[in-house]
Amino acid sequence: MEVNENQLEGRNAILEALKSGRDIEKLFVLKGNVEGTIKRIIAQAAQKGIVIQEVSRQKLDELSQTKNHQGVIALASAHNYAEIEDILENARQKGEDPFIILLDGITDPHNLGALIRSAECAGAHGVIIPKRRSVGLNATVGKTSAGAIEYMPVARVTNLVKTMEQLKKQGLWFACADMKGLDYFDTDLKGPLGIIIGSEGDGVSRLVKENCDFTVSVPMYGKIDSLNASVAGALFMYEVVRQRRFTLS
């Protein structure tokens, strides 16, 4: 079995990780066990907004790599998260209009890793993901990103809509990727911009879509009418690159 170096087990190890400020993706705790140290771990995790899941002892035993989990297992991030301000500062330092990728409901770590890789290659200034209904920066994401996770700031937020409202005050416009949107060749994607990519199954959620300024789609010429989320995302990003860098004003 391949060892996941980002899986922490045992009460002391997890308490120390929480104390040090290490980013934790998810906490698995033994159902009904809320005494002593476990209670402290749950309280600290809840305060930090970490997803906590109560599971059976059998489930913990299955997940455990050390076979000494002491009733608690944590999945730590493969890389620390950035803040929204870090992403905006990244754009300021480059003297460029902000170009941010927001991912709504991407639960496949391979898709997230590929999207982070594409964002880095396309010169985006950062990626934003929600805390819930999304995979985090786990080991698979890190591996699939082919090292891009080290260079691309990824922020994790509680509420995508509120984050969009915050960024609109900074002058950003938001384009939602949607099959029913305008052909992206006919859409102005220059200037401060956030692109929203949704999951393959459900697309962009209703509230997020309603808060976008316009919707755009990849033109389709074949018999299949949809693309893998990471492929569609990469195409959108490079249309932004084309419009910003290779068209006459």
Side-chain angles (χ1 to χ4, degrees):
M1 184 181 73
E2 187 177 344
V3 174
N4 180 359
E5 294 177 357
N6 297 303
Q7 181 165 307
L8 310 176
E9 303 185 18
R11 302 178 185 194
N12 288 336
I14 293 170
L15 268 177
E16 287 303 318
L18 288 167
K19 192 190 301 182
S20 71
R22 185 170 179 186
D23 285 319
I24 304 293
E25 299 289 331
K26 195 171 188 178
L27 195 68
F28 296 99
V29 296
L30 182 62
K31 189 177 290 185
N33 188 359
V34 290
E35 47 73 39
T37 314
I38 296 285
K39 191 174 182 179
R40 281 171 57 203
I41 289 171
I42 291 171
Q44 288 187 32
Q47 194 174 18
K48 293 174 182 284
I50 295 166
V51 176
I52 302 165
Q53 185 176 340
E54 288 191 341
V55 295
S56 66
R57 182 171 295 280
Q58 182 184 351
K59 178 66 174 176
L60 281 176
D61 290 343
E62 288 171 3
L63 290 171
S64 180
Q65 297 177 154
T66 65
K67 305 308 173 188
N68 186 28
H69 52 72
Q70 298 175 320
V72 61
I73 293 174
L75 298 179
S77 305
H79 199 276
N80 282 344
Y81 290 99
E83 300 294 332
I84 300 296
E85 183 53 38
D86 298 328
I87 293 173
L88 294 172
E89 180 59 26
N90 190 15
R92 280 194 289 268
Q93 286 184 358
K94 293 179 178 178
E96 297 171 346
D97 285 331
F99 174 27
I100 303 174
I101 313 303
L102 291 83
L103 304 176
D104 184 18
I106 302 293
T107 56
D108 183 333
H110 297 92
N111 273 342
L112 179 56
L115 283 159
I116 292 170
R117 182 177 184 175
S118 295
E120 204 284 325
C121 291
H125 301 112
V127 172
I128 298 174
I129 61 175
K131 285 186 176 179
R132 294 188 179 272
R133 293 194 320 108
S134 171
V135 67
L137 297 182
N138 63 29
T140 304
V141 172
K143 188 174 182 180
T144 311
S145 80
I149 199 173
E150 300 296 330
Y151 304 103
M152 176 55 49
V154 178
R156 201 179 192 204
V157 300
T158 303
N159 188 305
L160 273 183
V161 172
K162 286 184 179 177
T163 299
M164 290 166 68
E165 289 169 354
Q166 175 189 342
L167 289 169
K168 282 183 179 183
K169 292 175 183 175
Q170 301 283 339
L172 270 81
W173 292 72
F174 288 94
C176 170
D178 188 275
M179 286 195 302
K180 296 177 182 175
L182 299 168
D183 187 326
Y184 70 7
F185 291 132
D186 299 325
T187 308
D188 186 355
L189 298 175
K190 299 185 288 293
L193 182 71
I195 290 180
I196 321 286
I197 309 293
S199 68
E200 286 181 46
D202 301 323
V204 177
S205 58
R206 182 181 59 83
L207 283 176
V208 171
K209 189 183 294 186
E210 286 174 0
N211 278 274
C212 288
D213 298 292
F214 49 93
T215 58
V216 287
S217 65
V218 179
M220 295 287 179
Y221 304 108
K223 292 181 180 178
I224 296 175
D225 64 358
S226 65
L227 289 164
N228 168 278
S230 62
V231 173
L235 289 170
F236 277 115
M237 292 178 217
Y238 271 91
E239 177 58 16
V240 174
V241 171
R242 185 188 72 81
Q243 291 192 22
R244 285 188 170 197
R245 299 179 183 271
F246 299 105
T247 55
L248 297 174
S249 56

